[in-house]
Amino acid sequence: APVLGAGDDLPSRLLRWSKVPGSSRNLTSAWVHREISNFDYLMALNVIAGRSFNDLSQYPVFPWILSNYESATLDLTDPKNFRDLRYPIGAQQESKRKSVADKFNELAKMQSSQADALFHDDEGAPEMPAFHWGTHYSNAAFVAWYLLRVEPFTSLHICVSDGKFDKPDRLFRSIEETWKGATTNAGDVKELVPELFYLPEMLRNSNGFQLGSSQAGEVIDDVILPPWADSPEAFIKIHRQALESEYVSENLHHWIDLIFGYKQRGQAAQDACNVYFHLTYEGAVDLKALAREKPALYETTLKQIQEFGSCPSVLFDGPHPQRRPLHDVELVWPIASVVPGANTKREPVQKPSRMLRFPTHKLGLQPILFLEELPAVEKLITIDAARILGIHSFEARSIDVHPPYRLKLDEEALRFSLGAPPTSSSSSNAMTLGMSVGSASIAAACLDRQVGVPFAPSDALMQKLVATKQDPRMAAGLLRLSQQDLPDRSMSLDLASPSYLPSLQRAVSDSSSPGGGLLDSPVADDGTKRMSMRRRRREFSWSPPAGAPLKFTTSGPSESRKSTRAEMFQTFFGPQLFAADAASKLLFSCGHWDCSVRATSLETGRALQTVVKHKDVVTCLALRSHGVGFPGDGIGLGGNPNPHRNLAGQRYFLVTGSRDSTVGVWKVTPAGGLPIDPEPMHMLFGHDDAVQCVTLNPRMDIVVSGSNDGTIILHELASGSYIRSIQVGLPLDKVCISNAGYITAYAATAVNNILLTFDLCGRTRATKDCGERLNCMVLSEDGRVLVAGGRKGVVYFLWIDSLE
């Protein structure tokens, strides 16, 4: 059933108009059908009703969820462990409801007596209507009280406490004590702040503030947690699970009626013991008339409203619909994401234990470097090692059909990939480099289907070739080649361009090639660009007997590993070089020898723009969008661009990393003639080595970059300000960040393949030795699961916070 708004006011109209990205339903209907989480729905209601993180007096308000803060374990399937969402936090017990109802009736009786002029103005109207609660569930002091351990709320708390911390016994020091105070003290009926569901730092005194000692001699430091949570992170995790539990899903509509709905005012509010002091309600006082007629009273009233708290706008003039139970929803289990509430029923809904694999499809002979589904246009985009762009028709069908998709391969791209074999001499030299090279005729024919210009050889790949001991002529030749200028693309690493090999052969046969010294600067003395060949901390040696597996060794512990030549190529050239956007039908690429970032149309395959700002080869890029309007920010739960969004309400950001150790942040305008702004928003500095991986999260306003020297650096997206560095100590290959603030990095050497998860404060949350090199990793849509795959052909599903 549709949800009606409370008249024609802007908030209720905005709620009716709000749509969930990727869904035909409005916000409330999407929540009822379990398309969005309880947390996301409450945040959306807060924003629409005028609550904001920028105003402490109208800060977003969240409900108390649990009632058990004493047990060693917490059973989320037991309703006894939850609060009664039908009543305000101060009226959880029947006796409490009776006492506040009696108080309300007494006040109402006093106001009905015309003899008592204290409760009436000059015209006989009541000046102070009856109420159940003389205080409020959310105000500026409560917000600063909860968040006093993190800035800027520490300073705000000191400000509202007359320039010092409040008395130690009155500070936020225990979850259980706070719960007992809110449910037993009529003068303390505060609800919760959203941070208690996602920010463990608010429970930890990381800054070491001297908060004093209680009268009992107890030092006030970290918040005392319930026995069922052994750390702030564990509390936040369990608390969030409780919010998404089936019990809360079945009853949350009652609390919404109290705060945002028809039980906020009138007889329904009286029956629910939910009437607060009259100045907390929107429109209770005509502030414009008061400012005009009684300026002094206006200032006093305004200050009281700001400091005392205010109720949000009414969004619903009737009962809010109940969320559909989990067993009543047509549920398609996601492969990686978690279904909220699935494990909080007495008889939990079981996830299928098997997965069905559909037929494989041969896309060509070259390794596939990039694979992206564009559901909005029913296309599957592939880019292979020869830079050939494949645009395959991919139509999703009903899940009842086998297979649940229809795939039509791009025959033109397939024909280029399966073209005439190279000559024997070119093939021999190409195989020496671990690549396959097409003939000149094939290279010319597929030029229009290739993305950008040829790839530049990576530092690590060239170093392995240069450092070889078994073929000094090859080492000298490659070194000579690395020190030559690049007049054209013939000297760049390109699988489909045989012109690279004659240049290599000439360089190898040149007996005058120098035998040592690698370039540190990407620019020669005459200003022309050169390949950057930095010295690394470890010396690699490469032993490539013909037809045998490669062996990688380091000056540290040695390890033999099997790898095909194609795998070696994929190690250095992969999906980090590309990003595609469904709505704008654009492909962005980097890794080219000319240090460029390129935009290509996915409709025509035509190059739209080339941007060169970095002083060396661009090694990685990442693209995200952020919605200007509400409710959709254009980002899926895992941070991926939503394919169904409206371009008019989106801001696009492109982040690039380069061998010159810089990170660029660019604005992207898909609807414009040139998609990428010619000048970057920011050029970010701080790395001392080549940047190998980048990612960003517009929701959190964070850019994350990782470099070869094992440093992760965090910057603000909007301002470009430096946040912090995290030292890993191993060369970084991949990085991602979830909406929960977890940063997962993959570091790889010849002997180590390590996954690490950090929080935004730089603390290590988990580490895991993968036992193999990972070629790719991505977050699930809900951001809770890391999906990774490597050389062994195994796909791993790991909890991002623990890597288990």
Side-chain angles (χ1 to χ4, degrees), residues 50 105 117 132 137 152 265 276 294 299 310 358 361 381 397 442 456 500 525 536 557 568 601 643 661 773 785:
N105 292 332
H132 293 107
Y137 49 77
R265 307 186 187 199
Y276 293 85
K294 301 179 180 180
E299 294 294 337
S310 60
F358 301 112
H361 302 274
I381 303 301
R397 302 197 295 176
I442 295 298
Y500 174 83
D525 294 336
R536 300 298 181 225
M568 187 186 75
S601 170
S661 75
R773 181 172 186 90
V785 178

mmCIF file of all heavy atoms in Angstrom, residues 50 105 117 132 137 152 265 276 294 299 310 358 361 381 397 442 456 500 525 536 557 568 601 643 661 773 785:
data_model
loop_
_atom_site.group_PDB
_atom_site.id
_atom_site.type_symbol
_atom_site.label_atom_id
_atom_site.label_comp_id
_atom_site.label_asym_id
_atom_site.label_seq_id
_atom_site.Cartn_x
_atom_site.Cartn_y
_atom_site.Cartn_z
ATOM 1 N N GLY A 50 14.811 16.630 7.648
ATOM 2 C CA GLY A 50 15.546 17.827 8.025
ATOM 3 C C GLY A 50 16.667 17.625 9.015
ATOM 4 O O GLY A 50 17.280 18.592 9.471
ATOM 5 N N ASN A 105 -2.056 13.730 32.500
ATOM 6 C CA ASN A 105 -3.452 14.029 32.818
ATOM 7 C C ASN A 105 -3.557 15.154 33.851
ATOM 8 O O ASN A 105 -4.459 15.998 33.775
ATOM 9 C CB ASN A 105 -4.144 12.770 33.331
ATOM 10 C CG ASN A 105 -4.297 11.705 32.243
ATOM 11 O OD1 ASN A 105 -4.378 12.046 31.061
ATOM 12 N ND2 ASN A 105 -4.319 10.443 32.648
ATOM 13 N N ALA A 117 -4.236 31.097 35.652
ATOM 14 C CA ALA A 117 -3.749 31.911 34.535
ATOM 15 C C ALA A 117 -2.284 31.650 34.201
ATOM 16 O O ALA A 117 -1.774 32.152 33.193
ATOM 17 C CB ALA A 117 -3.943 33.393 34.851
ATOM 18 N N HIS A 132 4.335 14.529 28.304
ATOM 19 C CA HIS A 132 4.818 13.384 29.074
ATOM 20 C C HIS A 132 6.264 13.581 29.512
ATOM 21 O O HIS A 132 6.659 13.126 30.587
ATOM 22 C CB HIS A 132 4.725 12.094 28.242
ATOM 23 C CG HIS A 132 3.324 11.655 27.947
ATOM 24 N ND1 HIS A 132 2.759 11.771 26.699
ATOM 25 C CD2 HIS A 132 2.367 11.109 28.741
ATOM 26 C CE1 HIS A 132 1.531 11.291 26.723
ATOM 27 N NE2 HIS A 132 1.260 10.886 27.949
ATOM 28 N N TYR A 137 14.606 13.601 23.236
ATOM 29 C CA TYR A 137 15.416 12.418 22.933
ATOM 30 C C TYR A 137 16.654 12.745 22.117
ATOM 31 O O TYR A 137 17.519 11.884 21.920
ATOM 32 C CB TYR A 137 14.587 11.355 22.206
ATOM 33 C CG TYR A 137 13.789 11.851 21.018
ATOM 34 C CD1 TYR A 137 14.395 12.112 19.793
ATOM 35 C CD2 TYR A 137 12.419 12.047 21.119
ATOM 36 C CE1 TYR A 137 13.664 12.551 18.705
ATOM 37 C CE2 TYR A 137 11.674 12.481 20.044
ATOM 38 C CZ TYR A 137 12.300 12.738 18.839
ATOM 39 O OH TYR A 137 11.566 13.189 17.767
ATOM 40 N N PRO A 152 35.374 16.610 15.946
ATOM 41 C CA PRO A 152 35.377 17.872 16.701
ATOM 42 C C PRO A 152 34.421 17.884 17.894
ATOM 43 O O PRO A 152 34.207 18.919 18.505
ATOM 44 C CB PRO A 152 34.903 18.880 15.649
ATOM 45 C CG PRO A 152 33.946 18.089 14.815
ATOM 46 C CD PRO A 152 34.530 16.693 14.743
ATOM 47 N N ARG A 265 2.203 13.434 17.138
ATOM 48 C CA ARG A 265 1.310 14.457 17.667
ATOM 49 C C ARG A 265 -0.104 13.889 17.828
ATOM 50 O O ARG A 265 -0.429 12.825 17.314
ATOM 51 C CB ARG A 265 1.258 15.672 16.731
ATOM 52 C CG ARG A 265 2.607 16.239 16.391
ATOM 53 C CD ARG A 265 2.488 17.506 15.593
ATOM 54 N NE ARG A 265 3.778 17.979 15.121
ATOM 55 C CZ ARG A 265 4.024 19.219 14.728
ATOM 56 N NH1 ARG A 265 3.058 20.120 14.774
ATOM 57 N NH2 ARG A 265 5.218 19.566 14.294
ATOM 58 N N TYR A 276 6.080 15.506 23.953
ATOM 59 C CA TYR A 276 7.229 16.215 24.524
ATOM 60 C C TYR A 276 6.874 17.692 24.713
ATOM 61 O O TYR A 276 5.788 18.142 24.335
ATOM 62 C CB TYR A 276 8.447 16.062 23.607
ATOM 63 C CG TYR A 276 8.953 14.634 23.540
ATOM 64 C CD1 TYR A 276 8.390 13.715 22.659
ATOM 65 C CD2 TYR A 276 9.972 14.200 24.375
ATOM 66 C CE1 TYR A 276 8.834 12.406 22.612
ATOM 67 C CE2 TYR A 276 10.434 12.901 24.330
ATOM 68 C CZ TYR A 276 9.852 12.001 23.447
ATOM 69 O OH TYR A 276 10.290 10.712 23.420
ATOM 70 N N LYS A 294 7.885 40.588 19.436
ATOM 71 C CA LYS A 294 8.562 40.468 20.732
ATOM 72 C C LYS A 294 9.999 39.972 20.510
ATOM 73 O O LYS A 294 10.303 38.800 20.690
ATOM 74 C CB LYS A 294 7.810 39.507 21.648
ATOM 75 C CG LYS A 294 6.382 39.919 21.936
ATOM 76 C CD LYS A 294 5.683 38.906 22.832
ATOM 77 C CE LYS A 294 4.245 39.310 23.123
ATOM 78 N NZ LYS A 294 3.562 38.310 24.002
ATOM 79 N N GLU A 299 14.392 35.794 20.828
ATOM 80 C CA GLU A 299 15.755 35.311 21.054
ATOM 81 C C GLU A 299 15.770 34.220 22.117
ATOM 82 O O GLU A 299 16.464 33.207 21.979
ATOM 83 C CB GLU A 299 16.653 36.482 21.488
ATOM 84 C CG GLU A 299 16.865 37.532 20.418
ATOM 85 C CD GLU A 299 17.640 36.991 19.226
ATOM 86 O OE1 GLU A 299 18.367 35.983 19.396
ATOM 87 O OE2 GLU A 299 17.524 37.559 18.125
ATOM 88 N N SER A 310 14.681 19.359 18.997
ATOM 89 C CA SER A 310 13.497 19.545 18.164
ATOM 90 C C SER A 310 13.117 18.237 17.500
ATOM 91 O O SER A 310 13.972 17.400 17.199
ATOM 92 C CB SER A 310 13.744 20.628 17.106
ATOM 93 O OG SER A 310 14.825 20.251 16.263
ATOM 94 N N PHE A 358 27.760 -22.215 -15.166
ATOM 95 C CA PHE A 358 27.210 -22.224 -16.518
ATOM 96 C C PHE A 358 28.332 -22.453 -17.531
ATOM 97 O O PHE A 358 29.519 -22.366 -17.193
ATOM 98 C CB PHE A 358 26.489 -20.906 -16.795
ATOM 99 C CG PHE A 358 25.368 -20.652 -15.833
ATOM 100 C CD1 PHE A 358 25.448 -19.626 -14.905
ATOM 101 C CD2 PHE A 358 24.241 -21.455 -15.831
ATOM 102 C CE1 PHE A 358 24.424 -19.392 -14.002
ATOM 103 C CE2 PHE A 358 23.211 -21.233 -14.933
ATOM 104 C CZ PHE A 358 23.301 -20.207 -14.031
ATOM 105 N N HIS A 361 32.827 -19.648 -22.136
ATOM 106 C CA HIS A 361 32.828 -19.052 -23.470
ATOM 107 C C HIS A 361 34.240 -18.583 -23.792
ATOM 108 O O HIS A 361 34.861 -17.863 -23.014
ATOM 109 C CB HIS A 361 31.858 -17.882 -23.548
ATOM 110 C CG HIS A 361 30.447 -18.248 -23.216
ATOM 111 N ND1 HIS A 361 29.563 -18.745 -24.148
ATOM 112 C CD2 HIS A 361 29.778 -18.213 -22.033
ATOM 113 C CE1 HIS A 361 28.396 -18.986 -23.562
ATOM 114 N NE2 HIS A 361 28.510 -18.670 -22.279
ATOM 115 N N ILE A 381 31.753 -5.959 -21.558
ATOM 116 C CA ILE A 381 32.940 -5.333 -22.123
ATOM 117 C C ILE A 381 34.168 -6.153 -21.744
ATOM 118 O O ILE A 381 34.355 -6.504 -20.577
ATOM 119 C CB ILE A 381 33.094 -3.892 -21.613
ATOM 120 C CG1 ILE A 381 31.841 -3.076 -21.931
ATOM 121 C CG2 ILE A 381 34.330 -3.236 -22.217
ATOM 122 C CD1 ILE A 381 31.512 -2.988 -23.390
ATOM 123 N N ARG A 397 18.331 -12.756 -18.047
ATOM 124 C CA ARG A 397 16.978 -13.305 -18.190
ATOM 125 C C ARG A 397 16.476 -13.769 -16.834
ATOM 126 O O ARG A 397 17.142 -13.626 -15.812
ATOM 127 C CB ARG A 397 16.996 -14.468 -19.192
ATOM 128 C CG ARG A 397 17.529 -14.080 -20.574
ATOM 129 C CD ARG A 397 17.169 -15.100 -21.626
ATOM 130 N NE ARG A 397 17.807 -16.396 -21.399
ATOM 131 C CZ ARG A 397 17.588 -17.483 -22.150
ATOM 132 N NH1 ARG A 397 16.754 -17.403 -23.171
ATOM 133 N NH2 ARG A 397 18.201 -18.612 -21.903
ATOM 134 N N ILE A 442 47.363 -8.137 -39.248
ATOM 135 C CA ILE A 442 46.344 -8.215 -38.202
ATOM 136 C C ILE A 442 46.392 -6.966 -37.331
ATOM 137 O O ILE A 442 45.365 -6.387 -36.958
ATOM 138 C CB ILE A 442 46.545 -9.474 -37.349
ATOM 139 C CG1 ILE A 442 46.320 -10.721 -38.190
ATOM 140 C CG2 ILE A 442 45.605 -9.481 -36.164
ATOM 141 C CD1 ILE A 442 44.918 -10.838 -38.749
ATOM 142 N N ALA A 456 53.063 0.647 -21.831
ATOM 143 C CA ALA A 456 54.466 0.790 -21.449
ATOM 144 C C ALA A 456 54.854 -0.406 -20.595
ATOM 145 O O ALA A 456 54.064 -0.876 -19.777
ATOM 146 C CB ALA A 456 54.683 2.078 -20.683
ATOM 147 N N TYR A 500 57.603 -3.721 -32.490
ATOM 148 C CA TYR A 500 58.394 -3.641 -31.262
ATOM 149 C C TYR A 500 59.615 -4.550 -31.351
ATOM 150 O O TYR A 500 60.689 -4.212 -30.876
ATOM 151 C CB TYR A 500 57.523 -4.044 -30.071
ATOM 152 C CG TYR A 500 58.289 -4.122 -28.774
ATOM 153 C CD1 TYR A 500 58.537 -2.977 -28.022
ATOM 154 C CD2 TYR A 500 58.803 -5.332 -28.315
ATOM 155 C CE1 TYR A 500 59.249 -3.050 -26.844
ATOM 156 C CE2 TYR A 500 59.508 -5.405 -27.136
ATOM 157 C CZ TYR A 500 59.728 -4.265 -26.408
ATOM 158 O OH TYR A 500 60.433 -4.329 -25.246
ATOM 159 N N ASP A 525 67.641 14.801 -20.463
ATOM 160 C CA ASP A 525 68.218 16.136 -20.346
ATOM 161 C C ASP A 525 67.594 17.096 -21.344
ATOM 162 O O ASP A 525 67.506 18.309 -21.090
ATOM 163 C CB ASP A 525 69.735 16.079 -20.553
ATOM 164 C CG ASP A 525 70.409 15.305 -19.427
ATOM 165 O OD1 ASP A 525 69.816 15.222 -18.325
ATOM 166 O OD2 ASP A 525 71.515 14.799 -19.671
ATOM 167 N N ARG A 536 65.080 -1.137 -7.451
ATOM 168 C CA ARG A 536 64.256 -1.652 -6.369
ATOM 169 C C ARG A 536 65.136 -2.155 -5.239
ATOM 170 O O ARG A 536 66.353 -2.328 -5.389
ATOM 171 C CB ARG A 536 63.366 -2.793 -6.870
ATOM 172 C CG ARG A 536 62.433 -2.356 -7.984
ATOM 173 C CD ARG A 536 61.493 -1.280 -7.478
ATOM 174 N NE ARG A 536 60.588 -0.865 -8.528
ATOM 175 C CZ ARG A 536 60.310 0.399 -8.775
ATOM 176 N NH1 ARG A 536 60.856 1.355 -8.082
ATOM 177 N NH2 ARG A 536 59.469 0.705 -9.730
ATOM 178 N N PRO A 557 64.508 -15.162 1.112
ATOM 179 C CA PRO A 557 64.182 -16.576 0.975
ATOM 180 C C PRO A 557 63.704 -16.878 -0.430
ATOM 181 O O PRO A 557 62.917 -16.140 -1.022
ATOM 182 C CB PRO A 557 63.059 -16.776 2.011
ATOM 183 C CG PRO A 557 63.247 -15.663 2.986
ATOM 184 C CD PRO A 557 63.786 -14.528 2.202
ATOM 185 N N MET A 568 52.630 -14.128 -16.378
ATOM 186 C CA MET A 568 53.611 -13.115 -16.052
ATOM 187 C C MET A 568 53.164 -11.758 -16.595
ATOM 188 O O MET A 568 53.307 -10.728 -15.935
ATOM 189 C CB MET A 568 54.969 -13.483 -16.629
ATOM 190 C CG MET A 568 56.090 -12.539 -16.183
ATOM 191 S SD MET A 568 57.648 -12.860 -16.997
ATOM 192 C CE MET A 568 57.322 -12.179 -18.610
ATOM 193 N N SER A 601 34.738 5.870 -26.331
ATOM 194 C CA SER A 601 33.300 5.607 -26.387
ATOM 195 C C SER A 601 33.057 4.118 -26.545
ATOM 196 O O SER A 601 33.641 3.466 -27.424
ATOM 197 C CB SER A 601 32.665 6.365 -27.554
ATOM 198 O OG SER A 601 31.327 5.949 -27.749
ATOM 199 N N PRO A 643 24.430 1.211 -12.267
ATOM 200 C CA PRO A 643 24.212 1.340 -13.708
ATOM 201 C C PRO A 643 22.909 2.004 -14.081
ATOM 202 O O PRO A 643 22.693 2.309 -15.235
ATOM 203 C CB PRO A 643 24.254 -0.122 -14.177
ATOM 204 C CG PRO A 643 23.785 -0.901 -12.994
ATOM 205 C CD PRO A 643 24.314 -0.171 -11.800
ATOM 206 N N SER A 661 55.104 8.872 -8.872
ATOM 207 C CA SER A 661 54.781 8.880 -7.439
ATOM 208 C C SER A 661 53.673 9.867 -7.072
ATOM 209 O O SER A 661 53.481 10.168 -5.903
ATOM 210 C CB SER A 661 56.021 9.153 -6.564
ATOM 211 O OG SER A 661 56.402 10.502 -6.613
ATOM 212 N N ARG A 773 49.553 -15.879 -5.909
ATOM 213 C CA ARG A 773 49.402 -14.509 -6.383
ATOM 214 C C ARG A 773 47.962 -14.267 -6.792
ATOM 215 O O ARG A 773 47.366 -15.056 -7.507
ATOM 216 C CB ARG A 773 50.339 -14.224 -7.553
ATOM 217 C CG ARG A 773 50.198 -12.794 -8.014
ATOM 218 C CD ARG A 773 51.204 -12.360 -9.046
ATOM 219 N NE ARG A 773 51.023 -10.939 -9.285
ATOM 220 C CZ ARG A 773 51.637 -9.970 -8.619
ATOM 221 N NH1 ARG A 773 52.503 -10.303 -7.685
ATOM 222 N NH2 ARG A 773 51.409 -8.709 -8.874
ATOM 223 N N VAL A 785 32.089 -8.507 2.206
ATOM 224 C CA VAL A 785 32.823 -9.684 1.740
ATOM 225 C C VAL A 785 33.808 -9.267 0.657
ATOM 226 O O VAL A 785 33.469 -8.505 -0.251
ATOM 227 C CB VAL A 785 31.858 -10.755 1.199
ATOM 228 C CG1 VAL A 785 32.632 -11.961 0.668
ATOM 229 C CG2 VAL A 785 30.884 -11.193 2.288
#
